Amino acid sequence: MEERISLSHGSGGKQTNNLINDLFIKYFNNEIISEMNDSAQISLDGSKRIAVTTDSFVVNPIFFNGGDIGKLAVCGTVNDLAMSGAKPLYLTSAFIIEEGFEIEKLEMIVKSMADAAEEAKIQIVAGDTKVVEKGGVDGVFINTSGIGTIYENTNIKAYNAMAGDVVIVNGTLGDHGMTIMCQRSGIDIEGELKSDCAPLNSLVDSMLEVCSDIHVLRDATRGGVAAVLNEIAEMSKVSIELDESSIPISEEVKGSCELLGLDPLYIANEGKLCCFVSEAYANQVLEAMKKHSLGANAAIIGRVIEQVPQKVYLKTIIGGKRIVDMPSGQQLPRIC
Amino acid sequence: MEERISLSHGSGGKQTNNLINDLFIKYFNNEIISEMNDSAQISLDGSKRIAVTTDSFVVNPIFFNGGDIGKLAVCGTVNDLAMSGAKPLYLTSAFIIEEGFEIEKLEMIVKSMADAAEEAKIQIVAGDTKVVEKGGVDGVFINTSGIGTIYENTNIKAYNAMAGDVVIVNGTLGDHGMTIMCQRSGIDIEGELKSDCAPLNSLVDSMLEVCSDIHVLRDATRGGVAAVLNEIAEMSKVSIELDESSIPISEEVKGSCELLGLDPLYIANEGKLCCFVSEAYANQVLEAMKKHSLGANAAIIGRVIEQVPQKVYLKTIIGGKRIVDMPSGQQLPRIC
């Protein structure tokens, strides 16, 4: 291990995984945390299946086109629960605020948390407020933790992808990350970049209604679709082939990515999920997604293939094939 | 409301309560959060009584005599659950780490969390790691959220104190706060100041074993016993009279408080609770506490009295009587 924490330890790629395995999993050693899903599955009375998850939000800027740190904090945790096939029910919220922070801004953040909670149909039931001296924290950081009940007859896990599965996403990729990146660096893109930040639980409900046998669900946050698919490929011990021509990306994201030399597959989303389902159900699920307001641009972007070494591959538009690696090194910090 | 957040909004006194009521409770408006107990009581299947709570820890220094931020983060949340009469079961932990933080120190913190989790017999089941650029956060902040099941036949709430109750504490007051304060300001006290940071769930178990009819339990953290008793007096609509001569305070805390002109009743504890129980059970509960390693110095320090206005009063050693007000203004920041 390195001697000091670097930004890459927080970017959701290889170094984050190493830190989690070498430190947190090693010491907190128990069966539940070792599963490393978006949320942990606990039992309170031996029978009930309950999902819990936690996330801290340090996004900079605090307010961005399409949302703010408050909306993000609610949606992020709601989505982690939804990705485990759980119905999100309750959230806790804990604020760490810098001395001197404008109360008017804090009120805007709290209000947008309340709005997102209402949209996601969850309740925020407990909270905590800490204030640190000026310079001790940059503005405001929010932690949310969430609890939900896992739907019966579902078994959605990152290690359940299998040969014959197709990969579906619910819309354009890279919107959140590019919005933050361009806003932070002052780059003015033609058209409108807007974060996709949204609670995905109602979309997942519509998908499960037509097919309870979804194998994997993951929201493609830090590290983008590339990180998420690499994790799934590794945990499920499969290869995944993406078809570049079918990956939905907005003109604005395409343009800004070209400008900055970035690959949209590595850019964070906050309202996009990857779904693995067997080919037999693919169209039903896709249609259900398209009918939902958060899935209008849903598309099948790839499939699980039998190929060694087990990697994520991309069939490019010009007919080539390349490996989509796990992101490594420093991505943009404070994207969420 | 003021225009900007000040340190006093985070010190657990009047301004913290105003912020919570005027902002968080107002917008997150639901019956559960409005109860304002140490943990929220939720239901997942209509019958089971489940407690959830969240706390962020920003203590400075990160390592102190008697513990570190990791031990504090586990004990704090375990204690919030225990104070609701819940058996703590699962914790989540979320780290916000400053770029450049030594991994060796992080490992010490994680290890002490694991040790505290083992002592408290809980599992840490989910986590999150964020890294922010140098200067974006001071060292490391940790959030823990916790879940537990509320013991049957108990009804422990801050609004349940009633005439005839006595107030018991499980030992000396002010140890944690004075340890942090003296360590931070470089004051060298004769004797040894040591934080009382400890998980109190097993102590509460022994108390409930001899008396399930405990009315109120609160751990006396930010704002000390003064803040906690004022909250209880207000929520239960009663007066409380403390007997100064019976309040256990160590020589070291007494000495350092005199030196700094502080009142130990206002100093934070991290392993001390206030218990309200009717006089009939007081001795049984006290004896059970004294038998426990975390209650050797337990003492009855006061009682609920019928007096208006409803306040917390102190019968002083020299025979006077004064009001112990809710702490107001800036206490020492980053005590937990």
Side-chain angles (χ1 to χ4, degrees):
Chain A
M1 259 205 293
E2 299 88 340
E3 280 191 1
R4 288 179 183 270
I5 291 291
S6 65
L7 290 172
S8 58
H9 284 111
S11 47
K14 266 181 202 159
Q15 288 82 353
T16 306
N17 283 354
N18 291 347
L19 186 70
I20 291 171
N21 284 313
D22 297 347
L23 207 59
F24 298 113
I25 303 278
K26 178 180 161 195
Y27 285 104
F28 297 160
N29 177 37
N30 61 65
E31 274 182 22
I32 302 172
I33 201 168
S34 308
E35 279 218 351
M36 288 189 64
N37 280 298
D38 271 348
S39 67
Q41 187 173 327
I42 62 168
S43 168
L44 289 178
D45 62 0
S47 67
K48 194 93 194 175
R49 299 197 302 160
I50 294 161
V52 296
T53 187
T54 189
D55 240 327
S56 288
F57 296 84
V58 298
V59 67
N60 172 26
I62 289 171
F63 299 92
F64 48 83
N65 196 16
D68 58 35
I69 193 172
K71 182 179 183 187
L72 200 61
V74 170
C75 295
T77 291
V78 161
N79 292 348
D80 277 350
L81 291 172
M83 296 310 122
S84 307
K87 180 181 169 65
L89 294 170
Y90 302 105
L91 254 58
T92 62
S93 76
F95 287 73
I96 303 174
I97 314 170
E98 185 179 17
E99 177 189 14
F101 193 77
E102 296 93 319
I103 292 187
E104 196 183 338
K105 282 191 186 166
L106 186 62
E107 184 161 8
M108 289 165 67
I109 294 166
V110 172
K111 187 175 180 317
S112 86
M113 290 182 80
D115 291 344
E118 196 181 335
E119 187 183 348
K121 298 195 170 65
I122 56 101
Q123 290 188 309
I124 298 173
V125 292
D128 177 51
T129 312
K130 292 290 187 311
V131 179
V132 299
E133 76 286 357
K134 223 169 166 52
V137 66
D138 184 17
V140 62
F141 294 168
I142 302 176
N143 175 281
T144 52
S145 299
I147 302 174
T149 47
I150 300 169
Y151 288 116
E152 282 178 38
N153 308 319
T154 63
N155 182 26
I156 301 170
K157 303 268 180 184
Y159 53 70
N160 279 351
M162 58 186 79
D165 280 0
V166 301
V167 184
I168 317 178
V169 294
N170 61 311
T172 54
L173 300 183
D175 300 79
H176 176 74
M178 291 317 294
T179 304
I180 298 293
M181 214 170 295
C182 289
Q183 196 167 324
R184 200 146 80 195
S185 54
I187 295 170
D188 200 12
I189 296 292
E190 221 170 314
E192 204 190 40
L193 272 172
K194 191 179 168 187
S195 168
D196 57 342
C197 178
L200 295 171
N201 51 329
S202 123
L203 174 69
V204 172
D205 285 351
S206 347
M207 294 160 66
L208 286 172
E209 244 168 56
V210 298
C211 172
S212 65
D213 192 22
I214 289 174
H215 297 160
V216 186
L217 285 176
R218 275 272 163 128
D219 53 340
T221 55
R222 279 186 291 183
V225 164
V228 163
L229 294 183
N230 268 285
E231 267 177 50
I232 294 169
E234 196 187 325
M235 292 178 75
S236 295
K237 300 187 174 60
V238 297
S239 279
I240 298 166
E241 184 179 78
L242 301 178
D243 178 5
E244 189 175 16
S245 67
S246 61
I247 299 174
I249 297 166
S250 78
E251 285 309 314
E252 290 79 12
V253 167
K254 216 175 275 174
S256 54
C257 274
E258 273 170 21
L259 195 71
L260 296 168
L262 297 169
D263 183 340
L265 292 179
Y266 289 84
I267 306 298
N269 310 275
E270 289 294 340
K272 295 294 148 46
L273 57 79
C274 297
C275 166
F276 285 65
V277 67
S278 71
E279 187 134 29
Y281 296 114
N283 279 325
Q284 274 168 263
V285 173
L286 184 65
E287 286 316 307
M289 289 166 86
K290 280 177 175 289
K291 274 183 208 151
H292 194 282
S293 59
L294 294 174
N297 298 311
I300 294 174
I301 62 164
R303 57 200 65 244
V304 174
I305 56 167
E306 309 218 7
Q307 177 152 356
V308 281
Q310 282 157 351
K311 297 269 184 193
V312 179
Y313 300 91
L314 181 77
K315 232 173 37 189
T316 63
I317 291 174
I318 53 167
K321 191 162 167 173
R322 66 171 175 88
I323 289 172
V324 179
D325 259 329
M326 186 69 173
S328 176
Q330 179 184 335
Q331 302 287 311
L332 186 73
R334 300 184 58 184
I335 205 81
C336 59
Chain B
M1 260 204 296
E2 299 88 339
E3 280 191 3
R4 289 179 182 270
I5 291 291
S6 65
L7 290 172
S8 59
H9 285 110
S11 48
K14 267 182 200 156
Q15 288 83 352
T16 306
N17 282 355
N18 291 347
L19 186 70
I20 292 172
N21 284 314
D22 296 347
L23 208 60
F24 298 113
I25 303 279
K26 177 179 161 195
Y27 285 103
F28 298 161
N29 178 34
N30 61 64
E31 274 182 23
I32 301 171
I33 201 169
S34 308
E35 278 221 349
M36 289 189 63
N37 279 298
D38 271 347
S39 68
Q41 187 173 328
I42 61 168
S43 169
L44 289 177
D45 62 359
S47 67
K48 195 93 193 176
R49 298 197 303 162
I50 294 161
V52 296
T53 187
T54 189
D55 241 326
S56 288
F57 296 85
V58 298
V59 66
N60 172 25
I62 290 170
F63 298 93
F64 48 82
N65 196 17
D68 59 35
I69 192 171
K71 182 179 182 186
L72 200 60
V74 170
C75 296
T77 291
V78 162
N79 292 348
D80 277 350
L81 291 172
M83 296 309 122
S84 308
K87 181 181 169 65
L89 294 169
Y90 302 105
L91 255 59
T92 62
S93 75
F95 287 73
I96 303 174
I97 314 171
E98 185 179 18
E99 178 187 14
F101 193 77
E102 296 93 319
I103 292 188
E104 197 184 337
K105 282 191 187 167
L106 186 62
E107 184 161 9
M108 289 165 66
I109 293 166
V110 172
K111 189 175 178 313
S112 86
M113 290 182 80
D115 291 344
E118 196 181 334
E119 187 183 348
K121 297 195 170 65
I122 56 100
Q123 289 187 309
I124 298 172
V125 292
D128 177 51
T129 313
K130 293 290 187 311
V131 179
V132 299
E133 76 287 355
K134 224 172 164 49
V137 66
D138 184 18
V140 61
F141 293 167
I142 302 176
N143 175 281
T144 52
S145 299
I147 302 175
T149 46
I150 299 169
Y151 289 115
E152 282 178 37
N153 308 320
T154 63
N155 183 27
I156 301 170
K157 304 267 181 187
Y159 53 70
N160 280 350
M162 58 186 82
D165 280 0
V166 301
V167 184
I168 317 178
V169 295
N170 61 311
T172 54
L173 300 182
D175 300 79
H176 177 74
M178 290 317 294
T179 303
I180 298 293
M181 213 169 294
C182 289
Q183 196 168 324
R184 201 146 81 195
S185 53
I187 296 172
D188 200 12
I189 296 291
E190 219 170 316
E192 204 190 41
L193 272 172
K194 192 178 167 188
S195 167
D196 57 341
C197 178
L200 295 172
N201 51 328
S202 123
L203 174 68
V204 172
D205 285 352
S206 347
M207 293 159 67
L208 286 171
E209 245 168 55
V210 297
C211 172
S212 65
D213 193 24
I214 289 174
H215 298 161
V216 186
L217 285 176
R218 277 269 163 128
D219 54 340
T221 55
R222 277 185 294 183
V225 164
V228 163
L229 293 183
N230 269 285
E231 268 177 52
I232 294 169
E234 195 187 326
M235 292 178 76
S236 295
K237 299 186 175 61
V238 298
S239 280
I240 298 166
E241 184 179 78
L242 300 178
D243 178 5
E244 189 174 18
S245 67
S246 61
I247 299 174
I249 297 166
S250 78
E251 286 308 314
E252 290 79 12
V253 167
K254 215 174 275 176
S256 54
C257 274
E258 272 169 22
L259 195 69
L260 296 168
L262 297 168
D263 183 341
L265 291 179
Y266 288 83
I267 306 298
N269 310 275
E270 289 294 341
K272 294 292 149 45
L273 57 79
C274 297
C275 165
F276 285 65
V277 67
S278 70
E279 186 136 31
Y281 295 114
N283 279 325
Q284 274 168 265
V285 173
L286 183 66
E287 285 316 307
M289 289 166 87
K290 281 176 173 288
K291 275 185 206 151
H292 194 283
S293 60
L294 294 174
N297 297 313
I300 295 173
I301 63 165
R303 57 199 65 242
V304 174
I305 55 167
E306 308 214 13
Q307 176 153 357
V308 280
Q310 282 157 350
K311 298 267 183 194
V312 180
Y313 300 90
L314 182 76
K315 228 169 44 185
T316 63
I317 292 176
I318 52 167
K321 191 162 167 174
R322 65 171 176 89
I323 289 173
V324 179
D325 259 328
M326 186 70 172
S328 177
Q330 179 183 336
Q331 301 288 309
L332 186 73
R334 300 184 59 184
I335 204 81
C336 61

